[in-house]
Amino acid sequence: MKQPFLKAIRDRVLVLDGAMGTMLQERGLKPGQSPEELNLTMPEVVAGVHREYAAAGADIIVTNTFGGSREKLSHYGLEGKIREINAAGVAIARKIAGESAYVAASVGPTGRFVEPVGDLSFDEMADIFREQVHPLIEAGADLITLETFLDIKEARAAVVAVREISKDIPVIAMLTFDDNGRSVLGTPPEAAAITMEGVGADIIGSNCGLGVDGIYAILSAMRKVTRLPLISQANAGLPILKDGKTVFPGTPEDMIAYHERLLGLGVRIIGGCCGTTPAHIKAMREALSGKDQSFRGNGPPPGVTFLSSRSSWIAVGGNNQVALIGERINPTGKKAFSAELKEGKVSYIRREAMEQTAAGAHLLDINVGAPGIDEAAAMERAVFCVSGAVNTPLVLDSSSPEALEKGLKSADGKVLVNSVSGEAKSLARVLPLIKKYGAAVIGLTLDEGGIPETGEGRALVAEKILLAVSNAGIPAHDLILDCLTLTVSAEQERARETLTAIRLVKERLGLNTVLGVSNISFGLPRRPLISSAFFAMAIEAGLDSAIINPKEEAMMGTWRSAMELMNR
């Protein structure tokens, strides 16, 4: 009896099989023919490939369903046989795997892109994957392996689709990277890992595109931001042209040259992609003999919140710099911006995104909650605009669940949602969105009783929010607490209580914190002076991130000085 898959990869390193397409070509696959069609027309040939890999020692047999989506099958007029082809692929693999090996259902990219890069909406892309994944799971696959993805947003849609069908089936998520260390659309390994872990993948890594040395470099970068198990599925070297044919020169010996280093990173699955054969898989299996297969790989320090865009990422908390969240994309008190929102324009948004990023913002808050507009549609436009103008990760700021969901679907990476409170209604509306779309969330330390007067009271609300977040299946490090900045002109004693709350949240809960700093000086003269002094006090109290105007030099001067003095 096999162990549950996720337990097995904790106990030992598993070997995944090798290339399928080249093996099928050698066995009768015709040029221009769908490889997946052979599941119906030549099942014994597909089974023969699986059998050779099983005999070579593969612990994981990957189904012949890589191009089993309607987008891919429609090129061959087979879109009406999606269920048949995918179910047959699992059945063939299961027959060979028996009780000793695991069946991984292969899902590849569609060949199209999600808006605004392409013409498919996030929902349309997710629906394509749901249609393919349903029969794979129903047919009894042990896990889903998402392979060779180039677009981080398409990969997000794929994981969301799988998780809508099954919360429990293990999911491997792999992107393909060029030799410059980025995907074809510019995503670095760290951003890919952050995004895929956030949205619910169980194992992450890379396949295709690179040989084992290149894959090792990619996985080393991923390990800096994740503690998840990793997978290495390298090509047999980089392809070369020989006698008019593309060949992969990597020998079985070449493929095992990085085994010890991969194990040291915490790689728990080692397999082969293009150009690999049963001989390569056999060498991988044999090279594990006698090795220490305990789970290694240090990963990032605990308690750090990671956020990402398509092409960048940031760490909040720990000994990192205090993260600056640009506050300017907000219609409050800005009549011209509110008018633009009503007209569907984005020129102010684009300008502020670029200027705040240039001024030093690490994250950009997006608030489009002006009266009389379709906030969900405005949020989508704003996210598309900012993501196209700058690389900065995003903070989605709205009290509307519909606007938040539209923004979460529109974003490329792992965003921060601003915000949820300790009120039961707020928690019930927002936390399911955080879980589904792989975001982090700001928790406001207020509840049905309002804002507690004391730091102790706010820390108790923080504990309540943390419990709700944990019960929703969201990691504690994806909760950032806002201990709330109140106007000092009205209640001077409250400023001290905010600082006390920060200290208590850090000491008792070990969570990261954020403040909207400039609220402290509302209604007072010389606001930048007061705000920057309070900012320095909050940093000393343990503040990890701040919502500020990065174009305000007094605030930026305080931040730079504090980071220098704290050796950050």
Side-chain angles (χ1 to χ4, degrees):
M1 192 73 175
K2 297 193 300 288
Q3 289 178 294
F5 182 77
L6 294 179
K7 185 177 188 311
I9 63 170
R10 291 280 171 177
D11 291 347
R12 62 191 177 94
V13 177
L14 301 185
V15 175
L16 182 139
D17 65 16
M20 172 63 74
T22 49
M23 296 280 281
L24 291 179
Q25 288 170 357
E26 294 170 0
R27 289 158 177 76
L29 178 66
K30 299 172 184 175
Q33 184 181 11
S34 162
E36 293 74 25
E37 185 181 16
L38 270 58
N39 293 343
L40 303 180
T41 60
M42 300 172 67
E44 70 286 350
V45 171
V46 178
V49 175
H50 291 326
R51 190 175 291 112
E52 288 192 42
Y53 283 125
D59 300 296
I60 304 170
I61 303 298
V62 181
T63 62
N64 180 36
T65 55
F66 177 80
S69 68
R70 69 169 176 259
E71 280 298 321
K72 288 292 189 179
L73 293 176
S74 65
H75 299 319
Y76 309 98
L78 297 170
E79 60 271 27
K81 295 187 175 182
I82 298 168
R83 179 169 292 276
E84 247 184 298
I85 285 172
N86 285 284
V90 174
I92 295 166
R94 172 63 64 208
K95 185 176 179 180
I96 303 304
E99 291 301 316
S100 59
Y102 299 91
V103 172
S106 173
V107 175
T110 62
R112 297 178 66 181
F113 294 107
V114 186
E115 297 172 325
V117 176
D119 58 354
L120 282 180
S121 71
F122 185 92
D123 286 337
E124 289 170 328
M125 186 65 84
D127 185 63
I128 290 170
F129 289 117
R130 277 193 299 270
E131 185 179 34
Q132 180 183 5
V133 169
H134 260 297
L136 294 171
I137 293 178
E138 288 175 354
D142 295 308
L143 63 143
I144 302 293
T145 177
L146 306 173
E147 306 180 88
T148 325
F149 277 74
L150 305 176
D151 177 7
I152 192 66
K153 188 178 282 189
E154 184 183 20
R156 280 188 76 227
V159 180
V160 168
V162 176
R163 285 290 172 242
E164 285 179 340
I165 298 167
S166 171
K167 298 286 190 272
D168 301 321
I169 192 165
V171 176
I172 296 173
M174 291 184 283
L175 266 72
T176 295
F177 298 88
D178 295 333
D179 53 11
N180 65 1
R182 289 182 176 252
S183 74
V184 71
L185 291 181
T187 301
E190 297 93 337
I194 291 164
T195 305
M196 291 296 93
E197 178 173 1
V199 84
D202 298 293
I203 304 103
I204 56 177
S206 182
N207 78 302
C208 204
L210 299 169
V212 67
D213 53 341
I215 295 286
Y216 173 75
I218 296 297
L219 299 184
S220 296
M222 288 185 171
R223 181 49 79 208
K224 294 188 300 186
V225 298
T226 183
R227 292 173 174 265
L228 285 183
L230 299 177
I231 176 171
S232 168
Q233 195 177 347
N235 288 343
L238 295 178
I240 60 173
L241 200 62
K242 186 176 181 180
D243 298 328
K245 293 183 178 181
T246 299
V247 297
F248 291 83
T251 66
E253 291 70 28
D254 294 333
M255 294 296 290
I256 63 174
Y258 280 73
H259 256 42
E260 189 60 43
R261 280 170 281 188
L262 291 171
L263 297 185
L265 278 180
V267 171
R268 307 307 292 167
I269 303 172
I270 298 177
C273 204
C274 299
T276 56
T277 67
H280 293 84
I281 302 307
K282 183 179 180 182
M284 293 179 193
R285 169 85 278 158
E286 292 175 348
L288 289 173
S289 179
K291 299 282 189 189
D292 175 9
Q293 297 187 30
S294 59
F295 196 157
R296 290 174 273 165
N298 292 327
V304 176
T305 305
F306 290 102
L307 302 165
S308 63
S309 67
R310 177 182 293 277
S311 52
S312 70
W313 60 280
I314 185 171
V316 179
N319 198 37
N320 293 291
Q321 292 182 342
V322 171
L324 302 178
I325 303 171
E327 68 183 6
R328 296 278 302 161
I329 303 176
N330 187 321
T332 302
K334 302 182 182 74
K335 292 182 179 179
F337 180 28
S338 294
E340 274 198 12
L341 288 172
K342 290 179 181 178
E343 296 170 10
K345 297 179 179 178
V346 293
S347 57
Y348 173 89
I349 295 172
R350 180 178 292 105
R351 182 174 67 253
E352 281 296 339
M354 296 174 71
E355 289 181 359
Q356 288 185 99
T357 298
H362 305 116
L363 298 143
L364 293 176
D365 189 90
I366 299 178
N367 185 319
V368 291
I373 68 165
D374 181 342
E375 189 178 350
M379 181 65 82
E380 179 181 61
R381 282 194 298 272
V383 171
F384 285 167
C385 172
V386 174
S387 298
V390 295
N391 298 329
T392 318
L394 305 180
V395 180
L396 305 183
D397 187 350
S398 177
S399 59
S400 163
E402 293 76 21
L404 287 177
E405 184 162 25
K406 183 66 79 170
L408 287 162
K409 290 176 180 178
S410 305
D412 294 325
K414 180 182 175 184
V415 305
L416 178 61
V417 167
N418 185 13
S419 54
V420 70
S421 73
E423 297 176 276
K425 182 179 178 181
S426 175
L427 293 165
R429 294 171 74 188
V430 176
L431 293 188
L433 297 176
I434 303 301
K435 175 66 174 175
K436 180 175 181 178
Y437 295 104
V441 65
I442 292 174
L444 306 178
T445 53
L446 63 89
D447 58 13
E448 288 83 357
I451 301 173
E453 292 188 5
T454 66
E456 177 70 32
R458 294 181 212 178
L460 291 175
V461 176
E463 289 181 17
K464 182 166 71 171
I465 297 172
L466 174 59
L467 178 61
V469 163
S470 299
N471 288 340
I474 300 165
H477 60 247
D478 281 337
L479 171 62
I480 300 178
L481 271 304
D482 186 339
C483 295
L484 299 172
T485 308
L486 303 178
T487 305
V488 75
S489 60
E491 300 174 282
Q492 291 182 8
E493 70 279 3
R494 294 288 191 95
R496 182 181 298 143
E497 295 303 325
T498 296
L499 301 177
T500 297
I502 292 173
R503 292 188 176 97
L504 291 175
V505 165
K506 299 299 292 183
E507 291 168 7
R508 292 182 186 174
L509 306 181
L511 297 178
N512 295 319
T513 56
V514 65
L515 284 179
V517 178
S518 60
N519 293 342
I520 196 73
S521 61
F522 186 77
L524 292 174
R526 303 191 70 184
R527 289 191 65 189
L529 180 63
I530 296 171
S531 295
S532 60
F534 180 67
F535 188 20
M537 296 169 72
I539 291 173
E540 195 280 330
L543 189 68
D544 300 291
S545 54
I547 303 170
I548 68 165
N549 177 4
K551 295 190 285 186
E552 175 53 65
E553 186 51 43
M555 296 294 281
M556 293 302 292
T558 295
W559 176 80
R560 293 189 193 97
S561 300
M563 294 303 96
E564 181 72 23
L565 292 168
M566 298 175 77
N567 192 30
R568 298 188 191 179

